[in-house]
Amino acid sequence: MTNARRKKVTLQQVAEAAGVSKATASLALSNNPRISEPTRQRVLEAVEALGYVYNQRAASLRTQRSYTIGLIIKDVSNPFNAELTSGAESQLADHDYSLVLATTDDDLDKQSRLVQTMLERDVDGLIFSPVAQTTTASMQDLMQYCPLVLLIPYYQKLAADCVGMDDENGTARALEHLIQLGHRRIAFVGGFAAQATRSRRLASYRDTLQRHNIGFDPALCIASPVTLRGGYEAVHQLLRLPRPPTAAYCYSDVNAFGVMLGLRAAGLEAGKDFAVIGFDDVPEASLWHPSLTTVSADPRGLGEKAAQLIHRRISMPDAPVRRIIMPSHLVIRDSTAPPLRERSN
């Protein structure tokens, strides 16, 4: 029994089988828009019939592209980031790009190392959620080497494409809902104090309270990691106050889940004894018990938009900068209700 290795099929053989030139076959395999759909299908049929394996490395040498996009985010434990990654990956796959994922754990030194690694890997573009201490100058320098799309729209002096969430209006809708239910002692839970996103949501929280002549109490604002533990510990801190809140607006759904677990440990139930609102509307929000009222920010759509922007920037380097703010809306579920005293009247 021989163990002869199967002879490698060449692109020229594919082209001959499809009745096209080698250049046309190559363009068809790279999804070049100049190639008609019938021609592309003939090439793909020849590929399948002959068992041809497309050499991406050789294609990269010809086109000076790696067909990879880097995605740098802070962590993957948050379901929001998992949904965002899935949306970006799906959209990029439609353009034959692969996604290279890295997480910074909100550490500036680690972020610097990861950016350098991405550049060394010759990624064609970078989708980037920078840590709080990242400077405008450092990102301007990065843009000299690599197309960039930011997942945070707060660097106003940076001429970079970006996509972000409507933090202010989303927060205002959450607070308005709680105030309409009768809550006046409303906590703000979660997020690190240095985060620009948290700062914007906290500013909207204060403004909304002020519009309703409700005093701002800094004791009700608890910064914490964006984790279940962060929300769990924050609500216990709040419940120990001389005048504890009756509701909490949370930086993220993950923090809100932690708050709800902490309430249960204290013998209380969200939506019955205490109102809880999250932010993100991750898939688990509708499955949690009780189901979570939350600000829907469409994380998957955010990833898709970011992928579209980076592909556009690669294809049209001189295109005008785009800043996309994803709309938000409040999804009311079972975790919110009027304060107990309001229901007893």
Side-chain angles (χ1 to χ4, degrees):
M1 181 177 179
T2 63
N3 198 22
R5 191 174 180 179
R6 183 179 177 181
K7 190 174 180 180
K8 185 177 180 180
V9 178
T10 67
L11 182 61
Q12 181 62 49
Q13 290 173 309
V14 170
E16 291 172 356
V20 299
S21 69
K22 183 178 177 181
T24 296
S26 178
L27 291 172
L29 290 175
S30 63
N31 282 333
N32 190 291
R34 290 183 294 168
I35 304 302
S36 68
E37 186 59 25
T39 299
R40 192 175 77 88
Q41 286 302 321
R42 288 210 314 276
V43 172
L44 292 177
E45 289 168 4
V47 165
E48 185 174 356
L50 296 174
Y52 175 70
V53 177
Y54 187 53
N55 190 329
Q56 182 66 67
R57 185 170 62 178
S60 297
L61 291 172
R62 290 193 301 271
T63 63
Q64 298 299 300
R65 289 186 181 179
S66 66
Y67 290 93
T68 58
I69 300 296
L71 172 61
I72 298 180
I73 56 177
K74 294 171 186 175
D75 73 273
V76 291
S77 62
N78 188 333
F80 178 91
N81 287 330
E83 284 290 297
L84 184 152
T85 301
S86 178
E89 187 171 41
S90 175
Q91 188 69 34
L92 290 169
D94 290 342
H95 300 287
D96 293 325
Y97 279 90
S98 297
L99 192 68
V100 180
L101 175 65
T103 57
T104 63
D105 299 317
D106 220 21
D107 183 286
L108 186 62
D109 290 336
K110 184 178 181 182
Q111 175 179 280
S112 298
R113 295 193 299 271
L114 290 173
V115 168
Q116 185 62 37
T117 299
M118 291 289 186
L119 295 178
E120 290 171 356
R121 292 191 63 164
D122 289 326
V123 294
D124 292 331
L126 189 60
I127 301 172
F128 189 26
S129 179
V131 303
Q133 302 91 337
T134 308
T135 64
T136 298
S138 67
M139 287 188 288
Q140 286 174 331
D141 183 58
L142 174 58
M143 290 172 65
Q144 302 301 312
Y145 301 96
C146 180
L148 181 68
V149 169
L150 295 178
L151 293 171
I152 187 168
Y154 310 139
Y155 290 85
Q156 299 295 336
K157 296 181 180 180
L158 187 69
D161 297 311
C162 65
V163 59
M165 296 171 287
D166 188 353
D167 294 304
E168 292 91 341
N169 287 326
T171 298
R173 291 187 181 99
L175 267 291
E176 292 283 354
H177 177 60
L178 292 172
I179 292 168
Q180 288 171 9
L181 288 173
H183 295 279
R184 295 298 180 269
R185 295 281 289 169
I186 303 170
F188 183 106
V189 174
F192 292 108
Q195 287 176 314
T197 300
R198 183 181 187 274
S199 296
R200 292 171 76 94
R201 293 181 191 174
L202 184 57
S204 180
Y205 163 89
R206 295 185 67 161
D207 291 344
T208 307
L209 292 178
Q210 186 176 29
R211 284 198 303 273
H212 290 271
N213 297 313
I214 300 173
F216 172 74
D217 184 351
L220 296 181
C221 298
I222 310 295
S224 77
V226 185
T227 61
L228 290 174
R229 174 64 63 180
Y232 184 94
E233 293 180 350
V235 76
H236 281 289
Q237 183 177 338
L238 291 166
L239 292 175
R240 289 193 295 268
L241 291 173
R243 291 182 59 221
T246 61
Y249 164 63
C250 301
Y251 176 84
S252 76
D253 287 350
V254 172
N255 285 133
F257 297 152
V259 166
M260 293 163 78
L261 292 173
L263 289 169
R264 192 165 298 161
L268 303 172
E269 191 70 21
K272 178 182 177 183
D273 308 296
F274 196 100
V276 181
I277 294 183
F279 197 114
D280 291 339
D281 196 23
V282 298
E284 291 83 354
S286 63
L287 302 175
W288 204 263
H289 181 73
S291 58
L292 178 64
T293 296
T294 184
V295 178
S296 178
D298 188 12
R300 184 178 180 85
L302 193 75
E304 291 173 350
K305 289 292 184 184
Q308 291 167 9
L309 285 180
I310 198 66
H311 182 258
R312 170 179 174 268
R313 180 58 53 193
I314 293 168
S315 304
M316 298 183 290
D318 298 323
V321 170
R322 290 194 64 190
R323 302 174 67 85
I324 299 174
I325 303 298
M326 301 288 286
S328 61
H329 64 277
L330 186 66
V331 180
I332 299 174
R333 298 194 178 103
D334 298 330
S335 66
T336 49
L340 285 174
R341 65 176 180 272
E342 296 289 333
R343 282 177 277 166
S344 63
N345 293 336

